[in-house]
Amino acid sequence: AEKAHAAWQERLRERERELDMAKHEYEDISNVEPHADEEENLEAEHKQLAHIQEIANSLGIVWTSLYEEDGGVSKLEKAAAALSDAARWDEKLKEATEQALLALDLVNSIEGTVQMDTSADPQRLAEIEARLSDLARLKRRYAPTIAEVCQYQLQLEVRINELENAENTSSHLLEELEKSKEAYDTYSAK
C-alpha cells in the first residue's frame, strides 16, 4: 500500500509539473495575443515603411512623367481627342477610341495612388518590428506558423482543463484512499 501510495504521489507531482508547464506556455502565447492572419499584413506594412524613401522617389518619377507640363497624360489626352475626331468618319476607330479612353481613365486613376502618403513613421515601424519579433519567438518555441501557434494554444487550454479536473479527481480519490486506509487500520486493529 505504501508503494502504491508513493507511486500515486509521484504521478501527482508529474501531473502538477505538466500543468505548470502548460499554464506557462498558454500564458506566454496569451501575452502576445497572436492572430492567425496578422503576420502577412504586418510584413507587407513593414516592407512599405522600411522602404518608404525608395517608394517616394519612384512615385515622384511617375508623377513627373505623367502630370507635369507636356507629360504622358497630356499627350494621351491629345491622342484620344485626335482619335475621337477620326472615329467620327471611320467606324473601325470607334472601338480604338473607347479603348484609348479607358486607358486614359486608368492612367488618371493612378494619380490618387501616386499622391499617397509617403511620410515615414519610425514609431509605427518600431511597433511592427517588435510585433514581428514576438510572433517569430512564438513560432520558434511552439509551431512553424502563427495559425499553428493559435491551434496549439487551444490544445493547451484543453489540456489545462483536463489536468485541473484530474487534480480535483485525484485529490478526491486520495481522500477516499486515506479514509479506506484508516478504516482498514481500525478494523485490523480489532
Side-chain angles (χ1 to χ4, degrees), residues 75-104:
K75 288 178 182 177
L76 284 174
E77 287 171 342
K78 288 177 190 175
L83 193 55
S84 183
D85 270 350
R88 292 184 306 180
W89 297 289
D90 186 347
E91 287 294 315
K92 295 176 191 172
L93 294 176
K94 280 189 179 183
E95 186 178 331
T97 302
E98 289 172 10
Q99 290 177 355
L101 291 173
L102 287 174
L104 186 58

Side-chain angles (χ1 to χ4, degrees), residues 8 52 57 68 72 89 101 108 153 184:
W8 183 264
I52 199 74
N57 291 343
E68 284 195 355
W89 297 289
L101 291 173
N108 281 327
Q153 183 182 25
Y184 176 77

Side-chain angles (χ1 to χ4, degrees), residues 145-161:
T145 68
I146 293 302
E148 290 173 298
V149 169
C150 292
Q151 183 63 39
Y152 180 64
Q153 183 182 25
L154 293 174
Q155 292 169 354
L156 284 171
E157 186 174 10
V158 169
R159 186 65 182 144
I160 289 168
N161 286 331

Side-chain angles (χ1 to χ4, degrees), residues 62-63 66-67 105-116:
V62 170
W63 177 260
L66 291 176
Y67 299 104
D105 285 343
L106 179 62
V107 169
N108 281 327
S109 72
I110 292 173
E111 181 176 10
T113 305
V114 171
Q115 292 179 347
M116 68 179 239

